[in-house]
Amino acid sequence: MLVKTIEKALNKQIEVENASSQFYLAMASWAETEGINGVANFLYRHSDEERMHMLKLVRYVNERGGRAEIAAIEKPPKKFESVQFVFKSLFEHEVKVSKEINELVDLCLREKDYTTHNFMQWYVSEQIEEEALARNILDKLNLIGNDKGGLYLFDRDLDTLTGKV
């Protein structure tokens, strides 16, 4: 059985994951309309992955006797200034999500909810991978700079990238 403080924190994380999915979906839509299809496909996949993170939390809360809540979220932006801006925003967002997850893990320890603490370790590991990949993509974009040929190749390569963000 979940204690109320943990249930509330997990519901907040459900909202964070839902907002992440929508944020990346908005980025994907923008990229697609800009003709950057590799970036768009990568971001569509990432949006789906964030939704799965949310669903995993929803199921956990419900299985543990709590009640998962799906809150309304803020509308994400529909325009972005550049591919570099998109991935800088993505990286910063992933760092913010990592902070939220770490705070939730800390709460689990303070509440002595070792079951939820154990469950959340998957998210901790996932965030390490997501931040590393986002940082790697940013590094590549910094190497490319304003080279349109480099951006073309980056876009094509990103479409085939199978790693997680």
Side-chain angles (χ1 to χ4, degrees):
M1 186 64 128
L2 289 173
V3 295
K4 289 300 176 190
T5 55
I6 298 291
E7 182 178 344
K8 182 178 178 182
L10 287 168
N11 276 313
K12 181 181 177 215
Q13 193 61 39
I14 288 168
E15 185 176 345
V16 167
E17 300 294 339
N18 190 17
S20 297
S21 178
Q22 294 300 299
F23 187 44
Y24 300 143
L25 183 59
M27 290 175 170
S29 180
W30 171 82
E32 188 171 52
T33 62
E34 294 292 314
I36 315 166
N37 294 329
V39 170
N41 291 335
F42 178 85
L43 291 166
Y44 280 132
R45 289 189 305 268
H46 189 54
S47 174
D48 287 345
E49 184 179 317
E50 295 300 324
R51 183 173 184 279
M52 294 310 295
H53 295 177
M54 177 191 69
L55 291 174
K56 186 174 180 154
L57 284 162
V58 166
R59 289 184 180 118
Y60 179 80
V61 169
N62 292 337
E63 287 172 0
R64 297 281 297 144
R67 184 168 302 269
E69 297 174 10
I70 311 303
I73 56 172
E74 193 175 308
K75 183 178 178 181
K78 62 181 180 179
K79 290 186 179 182
F80 300 88
E81 61 189 64
S82 67
V83 172
Q84 288 83 353
F85 179 80
V86 163
F87 283 100
K88 183 175 185 289
S89 298
L90 186 145
F91 174 71
E92 290 169 353
H93 187 78
E94 291 298 341
V95 169
K96 181 181 148 204
V97 171
S98 293
K99 183 177 181 285
E100 298 282 340
I101 288 169
N102 288 336
E103 288 174 9
L104 179 50
V105 168
D106 183 58
L107 176 64
C108 291
L109 290 174
R110 284 185 276 127
E111 292 286 341
K112 297 185 185 327
D113 183 348
Y114 303 114
T115 303
T116 302
H117 177 269
N118 185 54
F119 172 77
M120 290 304 300
Q121 293 311 299
W122 181 86
Y123 287 89
V124 171
S125 296
E126 185 73 9
Q127 283 309 118
I128 292 168
E129 292 175 17
E130 291 188 5
E131 281 187 39
L133 183 55
R135 188 178 298 110
N136 183 274
I137 289 170
L138 269 180
D139 289 346
K140 287 181 185 348
L141 285 169
N142 286 333
L143 283 172
I144 293 167
N146 293 324
D147 178 31
K148 296 222 185 268
L151 181 59
Y152 173 81
L153 294 173
F154 170 82
D155 182 59
R156 188 187 67 191
D157 290 348
L158 196 58
D159 196 22
T160 63
L161 186 64
T162 59
K164 295 179 180 180
V165 169

